[in-house]
Amino acid sequence: MRFRLDDTEAARRDSLRARIDEFSADDMAAMRAEMAELESDRQAPTVFHPWLVRQDVVGLGWPEPSGRPATQTERFIAHEEMDSAGLPTYGLEQAEAVGWMLATFGPEDLAAEHLPHILDATWSYGGGYSEPEAGSDMLALRTKATRDPDGDFVVNGQKMWTSGAHLADWIFTLVRTDPDTSRHHGLSLLMIDARAPGVDIQPVRVMGGWRVNACFFDDVTVPARNLIGEEGKAWTMMSQALDMERSMSFGGREARLLLTRYLDRIGSEGTQLSEAAYRQIGEFLMELQAERLLGQQVVALGERGEAASGEASMSKLHGPAVAQRVAQWLVDELGPDAYTHDSGDQLAEDAEHFLRGATVLSIIGGTSEIQRNIIAHRWLGLPRG
């Protein structure tokens, strides 16, 4: 595992960092206003997405010729720089997940239809994975797809916690196509038009401050050509996609940004903190660096073609835990202004907002309990309970 960037990687980081610095305070204010209007902390399609396309960072590392040539380290750098600047990359993550699956597993005609719209951000996507009766056990899903006389799929079921579905053009949805199988067998991934007859998207507002959704599918007809990869073999794609998702920073980068802003404030004001406070900040910095290195380890394993499910779960487990501690500490330090939305103290308001969001982060993407089970089984080699 390399800890230093090579010259090419450093040059790309510096170039992107300079372009991020051109994203002005007015741009940031407009982006925040759009996210508030759309009830989405993590997507701003008219302000942020066009800027994102101009930076040529969409599709990094996809198989050629579909995407843009890049190592996984270069992709990690791009996402880290944007996250660390407080930019909402969740929409990019969703689009890149489905883009990578299409570019890798096909089919070619479906990839040819969608990839250009992903690369220019004219279509947006939601991931239909979790279900209300399955909890964190994705493999206990009940949404099913059967074939009609024309060979098309007919989908019935419900998905829950689908972030961005109310903004999405398409929902890539995990369904069971073989009723005689269980768990990871007989699963397929379908691209469902979010406006198709029989699709009903209802809001679910979470304490993190944004809207997720319940998606209902009632006899929704999905053309056979909208099958991603092979029928019944979706878990091969999903397991790799989930490892990529869990290597994301679940709160660590946002925590670093808020802590940096706090340190900048006390430095500019000449504020002296207690010895205990300085010690706590030092501990946070070490834990946040460990969170970053866990993400880098997943990237390094991926570049070598090695399995990284245990390490990805370690990253997913650690990130929300340290983010929640940082958020709570900052809110306590900043005092009453953190609970008053018209206080004029943007840092305090952002810290309180992140405290609510960080609480949700230990649930989305697979709960912390699920991550502990994966680590125990796949990394420590312990038997299943």
Side-chain angles (χ1 to χ4, degrees), residues 64-80:
E64 294 187 54
S66 302
R68 296 183 168 90
T71 65
Q72 291 192 38
T73 297
E74 289 168 345
R75 181 180 180 275
F76 177 88
I77 292 166
H79 283 253
E80 180 177 57

Side-chain angles (χ1 to χ4, degrees), residues 27-265:
D27 293 331
M28 187 68 76
M31 183 184 72
R32 283 174 175 257
E34 182 178 18
M35 289 191 295
E37 180 181 356
L38 297 175
E39 296 187 278
S40 173
D41 265 15
R42 301 178 288 177
Q43 291 175 270
T46 62
V47 176
F48 177 61
H49 290 179
W51 176 89
L52 184 64
V53 170
R54 293 195 297 271
Q55 312 317 310
D56 293 330
V57 294
V58 184
L60 291 178
W62 293 353
E64 294 187 54
S66 302
R68 296 183 168 90
T71 65
Q72 291 192 38
T73 297
E74 289 168 345
R75 181 180 180 275
F76 177 88
I77 292 166
H79 283 253
E80 180 177 57
E81 290 298 319
M82 290 186 289
D83 286 343
S84 297
L87 298 174
T89 61
Y90 182 77
L92 170 62
E93 296 281 359
Q94 286 289 86
E96 284 199 319
V98 69
W100 172 82
M101 286 188 282
L102 285 170
T104 305
F105 299 100
E108 290 185 5
D109 60 339
L110 190 63
E113 177 186 1
H114 283 265
L115 293 182
H117 291 286
I118 294 175
L119 292 171
D120 68 9
T122 51
W123 283 352
S124 59
Y125 297 80
Y129 300 151
S130 300
E131 297 193 3
E133 299 299 325
S136 295
D137 186 1
M138 187 185 301
L139 294 175
L141 64 88
R142 297 183 180 182
T143 299
K144 62 182 181 180
T146 57
R147 294 276 192 169
D148 67 12
D150 296 325
D152 293 330
F153 295 97
V154 178
V155 179
N156 284 278
Q158 179 184 352
K159 297 294 179 178
M160 194 68 174
W161 320 119
T162 310
S163 298
H166 62 301
L167 308 176
D169 299 289
W170 300 88
I171 304 171
F172 51 106
T173 308
L174 191 65
V175 299
R176 187 167 298 283
T177 48
D178 186 346
D180 297 324
T181 60
S182 62
R183 304 300 294 171
H184 60 277
H185 301 290
L187 300 177
S188 299
L189 198 60
L190 299 178
M191 190 79 79
I192 299 179
D193 186 339
R195 298 171 182 81
V199 176
D200 184 20
I201 299 173
Q202 297 292 334
V204 177
R205 292 174 176 87
V206 298
M207 66 181 297
W210 64 82
R211 167 182 170 171
V212 295
N213 300 276
C215 300
F216 300 89
F217 304 101
D218 184 11
D219 287 335
V220 179
T221 299
V222 180
R225 66 180 301 274
N226 283 15
L227 172 69
I228 303 174
E230 293 184 57
E231 184 173 349
K233 302 293 181 64
W235 192 245
T236 300
M237 296 182 289
M238 288 300 305
S239 58
Q240 295 180 52
L242 287 171
D243 283 350
M244 293 173 63
E245 179 185 42
R246 289 165 182 164
S247 69
M248 293 163 46
S249 178
F250 279 79
R253 292 168 186 167
E254 295 94 327
R256 284 198 294 275
L257 176 60
L258 285 172
L259 198 56
T260 299
R261 289 170 61 188
Y262 178 71
L263 290 171
D264 180 71
R265 169 181 289 188

